[in-house]
């Protein structure tokens, strides 16, 4: 399939041929869901912690005598039924990450790219470069291209001026091609790929 290439000034810069095996798949929501869940689970901190009865600070003295009070038998006041006591089977620090086959991850990225291509939300940019790191100027260029909510993928190295100018624009993310991922593609309305990013992706999926 063909795609028009534009510049930041909204002028035409030719066209490119997109690989149908990457950009023309019939999207499968089940694969996309598995990949998004994989990404979000992997980045979850997992620092939750509750104290068990053996970790609660305090004396181990028996709270009252064994017999003659008419109350239930107890030792110290650290069991979970007491206020301030330990928690039974509470959360402990752990990793929430789970495995997902490498081929499924690669396929999910292709399906995410196909989703954007099929919904006309894919923009091919000639270059992601600006002469000065001016946020206001770049915001104006994005407005001219209709990019109010977008993920921009460049080549392996981002231009410093472009990255600095774009980082303070809300709802616009800029990543090098090695950082492209399914979650960020789906959470933004538009996906912008530069020529350098397209070449890198073609090489990656060969």
């Amino acid at each position: 399939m063909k795609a028009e290439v534009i510049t930041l000034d909204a002028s035409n810069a030719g066209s490119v041929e997109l690989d149908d095996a990457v950009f023309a798949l019939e999207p499968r929501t089940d694969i996309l869901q598995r990949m998004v869940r994989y990404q979000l689970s992997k980045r979850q901190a997992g620092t939750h912690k509750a104290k068990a009865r053996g970790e609660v600070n305090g004396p181990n003295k028996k709270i009252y005598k064994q017999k003659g009070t008419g109350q239930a038998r107890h030792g110290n006041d650290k069991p979970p039924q007491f206020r301030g006591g330990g928690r039974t089977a509470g959360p402990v620090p752990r990793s929430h990450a789970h495995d997902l086959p490498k081929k499924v991850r690669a396929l999910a990225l292709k399906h995410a790219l196909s989703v954007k291509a099929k919904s006309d939300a894919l923009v091919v940019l000639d270059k992601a470069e600006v002469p000065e790191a001016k946020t206001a100027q770049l915001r104006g260029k994005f407005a001219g291209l209709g990019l109010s909510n977008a993920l921009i993928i460049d080549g392996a190295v981002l231009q410093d001026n472009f990255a600095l100018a774009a980082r303070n624009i809300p709802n616009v993310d800029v990543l090098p091609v090695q950082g492209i991922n399914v979650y960020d593609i789906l959470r933004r309305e538009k996906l912008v790929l530069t020529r350098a990013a397209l070449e890198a992706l073609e090489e990656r999926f060969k």
Side-chain angles (χ1 to χ4, degrees), residues 165-194:
R167 71 181 181 180
N168 203 33
I169 300 177
N171 300 320
V172 173
D173 298 325
V174 180
L175 293 174
V177 69
Q178 59 268 28
I180 191 170
N181 64 88
V182 173
Y183 177 68
D184 281 332
I185 290 174
L186 297 179
R187 70 191 285 261
R188 295 300 179 200
E189 292 177 5
K190 294 281 185 76
L191 172 63
V192 181
L193 299 175
T194 63

Side-chain angles (χ1 to χ4, degrees), residues 58 118 152 154:
K118 191 172 184 179
I152 301 170
D154 199 5

Side-chain angles (χ1 to χ4, degrees), residues 11 21 29 146 168 173 206:
S11 59
T29 55
N168 203 33
D173 298 325
K206 270 186 181 179

